[in-house]
Amino acid sequence: MIKAGMRLTLESGYRESILQQTYRCKVVEFTEDVIYISYPLNEETQRSAFLLKGTKLLATFIGYDQNVYTFPTEVTGREIKGMPVVKLFYPGDKKLKSIQRRNFFRVPLTVKAVIKSEQEEQQDVMEIMTKNISAGGIAGSFHHSLLFNEKDSVVVRLSLPNREGALQHLELKGEVVRITPPTSCKIGQLSIKFMDMEKQTKEMMIRYTLKRQLDLRRKGLL
């Protein structure tokens, strides 16, 4: 399951503690029970982290089947393998826990999204406020009249904010899968499934939602 070149996300500390930190790194080499990783980069400081031997961590990675897996690990030492590496204990594939199977997990996110028809001759455009997002689609709310119907092919334009405040602009093909029209008492709800997403974009979206999940969990919001 683990392969050289894979990206790992590492969490240390306790969820209720301000000492909890998140790191990212890459797998350099691995054996049956040891993973050699590049020196972890602290997500908050953007600096290389020095993890003491015995530090317990929770590792997360995206498998080649596009599922997300976690496993408990521990720093067991350091070595030089053409570059300085950190050694992590690997409990084996049987100890992996899948946190995503058939469907992509969703995380809360409130940003503006612009929805337009995929047909160039149609000029219908509407804005929604997203409620949650995943690598598989978005759900959002709207107050005005709906311009689309279920099963319509659309293009979704949105900008995803990262922790540093920078925006990543995306234009994604989708299909309207569920609509709840607005009433005098309730706002409208709209769900869109992403379609024909490139593998690189899908992996980026999985990493983004996973990172946001970890951030919200650290803040006690999940």
Side-chain angles (χ1 to χ4, degrees), residues 148-161:
F148 302 102
N149 300 306
E150 292 182 358
K151 296 186 177 181
D152 279 356
S153 296
V154 295
V155 175
V156 180
R157 294 173 179 167
L158 73 163
S159 299
L160 302 180

Side-chain angles (χ1 to χ4, degrees), residues 5-19:
M6 272 187 170
R7 300 185 183 187
L8 292 184
T9 299
L10 305 174
E11 288 183 277
S12 67
Y14 298 92
R15 294 181 185 177
E16 65 272 15
S17 170
I18 61 174
L19 298 178

Side-chain angles (χ1 to χ4, degrees), residues 5-69:
M6 272 187 170
R7 300 185 183 187
L8 292 184
T9 299
L10 305 174
E11 288 183 277
S12 67
Y14 298 92
R15 294 181 185 177
E16 65 272 15
S17 170
I18 61 174
L19 298 178
Q20 186 185 38
Q21 297 292 328
T22 303
Y23 312 93
R24 66 175 184 269
C25 60
K26 281 190 176 183
V27 176
V28 176
E29 190 177 316
F30 66 97
T31 66
E32 184 177 350
D33 58 359
V34 177
I35 300 176
Y36 300 89
I37 62 169
S38 59
Y39 264 61
L41 187 69
N42 187 299
E43 288 277 14
E44 184 173 356
T45 65
Q46 295 298 302
R47 295 180 179 179
S48 294
F50 186 85
L51 300 179
L52 297 174
K53 184 177 180 179
T55 300
K56 297 185 183 300
L57 303 158
L58 179 68
T60 308
F61 69 95
I62 303 169
Y64 285 108
D65 57 3
Q66 298 299 299
N67 284 343
V68 178
Y69 297 92

Side-chain angles (χ1 to χ4, degrees), residues 68-130:
V68 178
Y69 297 92
T70 66
F71 62 92
T73 185
E74 181 179 329
V75 177
T76 59
R78 291 171 181 76
E79 285 190 16
I80 300 293
K81 287 187 171 291
M83 60 182 290
V85 295
V86 176
K87 295 172 59 178
L88 298 180
F89 167 70
Y90 182 58
D93 291 352
K94 292 183 179 180
K95 295 294 184 180
L96 296 178
K97 179 181 179 182
S98 175
I99 59 175
Q100 173 190 342
R101 293 189 183 275
R102 294 183 180 179
N103 299 313
F104 298 105
F105 57 87
R106 294 180 177 270
V107 292
L109 180 69
T110 304
V111 296
K112 182 188 296 183
V114 176
I115 315 299
K116 66 181 294 292
S117 174
E118 191 177 15
Q119 305 300 320
E120 293 184 0
E121 63 273 14
Q122 296 184 24
Q123 301 300 315
D124 294 337
V125 176
M126 66 179 291
E127 292 184 353
I128 66 171
M129 293 301 296
T130 64

